[in-house]
Amino acid sequence: MGSELGSLVASLLESEPWVGSLEGIDVDPPRRRLRRAVFHLIDPRNRARVFEVVTRFNPHVVIHVAVWEPDARANTATARRLTEDAALSILGAAAECPALQHVVIRSAAEIYGRARGSLTRPDESTPINPTSEFGRMAAEIEATANDVGDRAGVTVGILRLAPVLGPHVPSPLGRLLRQPAVPFSMLADPPFAVLRDLDAAQALVAAGRIGLAHPLNVVAPGAITALQAIRRGHHLPIPLIGPEWAVVRRVSQLFGAPVPEHVVETLHRGRLIDGSRAREDLGVWPITSTPGVIDSLYAWPSVVHVISPTAPVNEGAA
Amino acid sequence: MASSTAKASRSAKIVPLETGDGPIGKVLRVATKPVPSSEPHPAVDEWGRDAKFVDAFAAIARLRWDVSVGGQQLLPKSGPALIVINTRPLALTPVLTALALSEALDRPVRFVGRPDVVPFGPLLRRIGGLLAIPEEVGGALRAGELVLMGAEGTRNPRHAGKVDHHLVAAAIREQVPVHVAATLSTMFSRSARIEVTAALRSGRNRRRGPLADIELAEQAQRRLQDLLDEIGGTRTGVPVLGWFGEG
């Protein structure tokens, strides 16, 4: 519930008629005002406390959104540790709850990998072959969730989300695209698709509502290339060929926008997935197109000047 | 107050680079030229095909080829279909046929056979190229796309090569019609011809196993050969060039 996506899911669940009571766990406090939900600030390493809270609540449905994208809120090593700990402690505790019927997991499109010769738009039947750290993390979460599902005899629904972007979502791709000057792969400039945070949250809530029991890709319609995205934002494109990427990644990190492995992969090899099945199975589909998500990313002003209507106008004086 | 006034005067001297009048300013202005965010269509579609790039490429291709298309009304106006064509080595027949059919039908036609290496792979993806993988072809057909695949290339322009039954199998799995299109061109002339046929009919004994794929691929090759025989060679009017046209 502490992440942008998690708190958005919680606020949507609050207005769902099928949700009785609602509780959440995270290492960060919620980013939204939640009226009905009860929040527990617990480190995922504290398994005893997580176990106590989860088993006392005894949920029917668990929506597990605790996936730290590398270099979004934490560096790669910390993100991996937090994701592993959260998956083990929360899903492990949920497996012990007698009322548990259904688990929904937030996974990532990076799980399909972008190895040479991989499909342009993999669908859910495509074998997973992660080629980045984030993809491997997603594969491990899915394995843990499926194991919990088998042992506890509950259904597991997995949503493989395209890169989630939004004006307020901490994302390495979003941060990179908002830099004044943005690198892109001149020889490839492959297409990729993204997903708005609100659409991702609605898909997760719908998966909990219908009791989804298989993996589904969720992606916004349309696609865009890095150069097209940069030009939509009126930023300066920096064409790169290959070896200089290592230098650019370090420089970008110095400027506060680290470029993790999976983002480099997106910019070099593209990231498209087939999300047509989600429309049929979930009953909800992303409204904002990929170019629309990119536009909303740039439309977010970094500083909002609020001028009080009663304040005196005094030009030329401080 | 004094310090803040000085601050204000300092900030007034800061001029963004792109507003400068020098050569750097001009370059930056071009590089960061605004793209209208209210664009009705995104520049690339969900398979990476860039409609604007295709238009530009087609305009260049028209300088070399003058393609006449026949039988395009037999292809579906919407919905998926697989089109099998004859090819020659290094002739880029699938690319040119896909461009000509796209223009004739006013809908994207994708072709199978792009490599997955830079710079050719991404370039061909921009004009509608797909990887020659059955799952990729199946995914495109499932998404309602028109997909064009080439038979095995032959040196003789009037001989139809073997048709890959693995790729044809994708059409059977997705229950999509398979059409055949004969293409005829020579390296000495601008004129080229594409003739599309009605969808192939599967045999009376419907197979359930992999034999169905092989039989449909063989049927496509036979129909393609018949069509090439019906069309005949390219008539140039010049004895030696006419011989080249006959293969």
Side-chain angles (χ1 to χ4, degrees):
Chain A
M1 273 189 191
S3 68
E4 183 66 27
L5 184 59
S7 52
L8 195 52
V9 169
S11 66
L12 289 176
L13 284 172
E14 284 190 329
S15 55
E16 287 285 313
W18 59 274
V19 178
S21 51
L22 180 65
E23 293 197 17
I25 296 172
D26 208 324
V27 287
D28 297 315
R31 295 182 174 218
R32 280 181 167 73
R33 186 178 175 190
L34 300 173
R35 294 171 195 281
R36 279 173 51 203
V38 177
F39 176 73
H40 303 274
L41 188 72
I42 308 172
D43 190 304
R45 280 174 297 184
N46 190 350
R47 283 189 201 154
R49 178 87 180 108
V50 170
F51 183 83
E52 183 198 331
V53 167
V54 173
T55 50
R56 183 173 41 75
F57 182 52
N58 193 19
H60 290 86
V61 177
V62 170
I63 299 182
H64 184 74
V65 196
V67 177
W68 277 261
E69 184 180 355
D71 289 323
R73 288 197 288 162
N75 64 34
T76 304
T78 311
R80 163 170 273 284
R81 182 181 58 75
L82 284 167
T83 304
E84 276 177 9
D85 289 342
L88 270 176
S89 59
I90 295 171
L91 294 177
E96 306 302 324
C97 298
L100 187 71
Q101 294 169 357
H102 183 53
V103 176
V104 176
I105 298 293
R106 179 252 201 264
S107 184
E110 281 79 358
I111 198 166
Y112 294 112
R114 295 299 303 143
R116 186 100 30 224
S118 56
L119 297 185
T120 307
R121 285 178 85 219
D123 65 6
E124 292 83 356
S125 64
T126 305
I128 61 170
N129 180 24
T131 46
S132 65
E133 187 61 24
F134 190 35
R136 285 186 284 273
M137 282 163 62
E140 283 173 24
I141 298 162
E142 287 195 12
T144 305
N146 286 326
D147 185 38
V148 165
D150 288 344
R151 289 189 189 197
V154 298
T155 52
V156 177
I158 296 166
L159 293 187
R160 293 170 179 163
L161 307 181
V164 179
L165 290 185
H168 306 284
V169 177
S171 152
L173 179 62
R175 218 175 277 140
L176 180 73
L177 290 175
R178 278 202 290 238
Q179 297 263 64
V182 189
F184 74 100
S185 176
M186 190 174 74
L187 293 179
D189 195 27
F192 60 89
V194 295
L195 181 65
R196 191 160 193 186
D197 52 346
L198 181 62
D199 291 326
Q202 281 173 338
L204 285 161
V205 171
R209 183 170 57 235
I210 66 166
L212 181 75
H214 52 261
L216 273 186
N217 294 339
V218 185
V219 60
I224 200 163
T225 69
L227 178 61
Q228 289 163 0
I230 296 162
R231 296 202 65 206
R232 284 183 99 90
H234 312 168
H235 290 202
L236 182 67
I238 302 176
L240 299 181
I241 294 173
E244 64 274 34
W245 269 99
V247 178
V248 168
R249 285 177 74 180
R250 279 171 179 78
V251 171
S252 183
Q253 186 156 17
L254 284 175
F255 281 100
V259 190
E261 193 184 10
H262 64 283
V263 173
V264 173
E265 192 178 73
T266 301
L267 297 176
H268 276 278
R269 303 274 303 149
R271 180 97 54 211
L272 299 172
I273 49 171
D274 183 355
S276 53
R277 201 174 162 196
R279 286 182 171 229
E280 298 156 17
D281 292 5
L282 286 182
V284 295
W285 51 87
I287 297 166
T288 315
S289 68
T290 292
V293 177
I294 297 294
D295 287 343
S296 72
L297 187 75
Y298 289 123
W300 180 55
S302 53
V303 177
V304 179
H305 296 281
V306 180
I307 301 167
S308 168
T310 55
V313 178
N314 188 9
E315 285 181 4
Chain B
M1 184 185 286
S3 65
S4 59
T5 312
K7 240 185 232 173
S9 66
R10 271 204 303 276
S11 64
K13 285 178 188 168
I14 298 170
V15 178
L17 269 177
E18 65 268 26
T19 59
D21 290 329
I24 295 175
K26 281 179 189 166
V27 169
L28 288 176
R29 264 201 301 281
V30 171
T32 61
K33 190 181 168 193
V35 174
S37 56
S38 57
E39 234 174 70
H41 302 291
V44 290
D45 66 14
E46 291 175 352
W47 290 86
R49 184 180 184 271
D50 188 334
K52 286 180 183 171
F53 187 75
V54 169
D55 288 346
F57 191 85
I60 296 167
R62 270 195 294 273
L63 297 174
R64 169 66 183 90
W65 300 105
D66 177 19
V67 185
S68 64
V69 180
Q72 73 269 30
Q73 71 280 359
L74 299 169
L75 292 170
K77 286 181 181 167
S78 62
L82 181 68
I83 307 162
V84 183
I85 62 162
N86 58 306
T87 63
R88 279 188 298 161
L90 304 173
L92 293 177
T93 319
V95 180
L96 296 170
T97 311
L99 287 177
L101 286 176
S102 293
E103 205 171 312
L105 297 166
D106 197 23
R107 63 175 289 203
V109 176
R110 302 178 198 281
F111 60 91
V112 177
R114 78 167 171 89
D116 198 15
V117 288
V118 288
F120 304 110
L123 184 76
L124 292 175
R125 175 162 53 188
R126 284 287 178 97
I127 50 178
L130 300 174
L131 299 172
I133 303 173
E135 290 79 12
E136 177 109 333
V137 176
L141 293 173
R142 201 161 45 250
E145 302 290 342
L146 272 182
V147 179
L148 185 146
M149 63 167 279
E152 205 173 78
T154 57
R155 286 170 187 267
N156 188 327
R158 292 184 60 193
H159 284 182
K162 197 177 170 189
V163 178
D164 187 349
H165 68 272
H166 296 105
L167 297 179
V168 171
I172 294 177
R173 272 198 303 275
E174 301 300 329
Q175 299 180 333
V176 162
V178 178
H179 294 257
V180 162
T183 64
L184 207 61
S185 64
T186 65
M187 61 179 89
F188 304 106
S189 166
R190 277 190 73 229
S191 60
R193 188 174 168 193
I194 299 167
E195 196 63 41
V196 185
T197 64
L200 297 176
R201 290 182 184 177
S202 47
R204 252 181 279 171
N205 299 324
R206 283 181 173 269
R207 309 275 185 209
R208 289 186 298 181
L211 283 178
D213 312 346
I214 296 167
E215 287 180 2
L216 186 59
E218 287 173 349
Q219 191 189 352
Q221 186 183 353
R222 278 198 304 274
R223 184 73 191 94
L224 197 52
Q225 188 58 61
D226 291 347
L227 203 57
L228 288 168
D229 292 341
E230 286 166 18
I231 291 174
T234 305
R235 308 285 192 276
T236 60
V238 181
V240 178
L241 297 186
W243 177 80
F244 274 115
E246 291 292 323

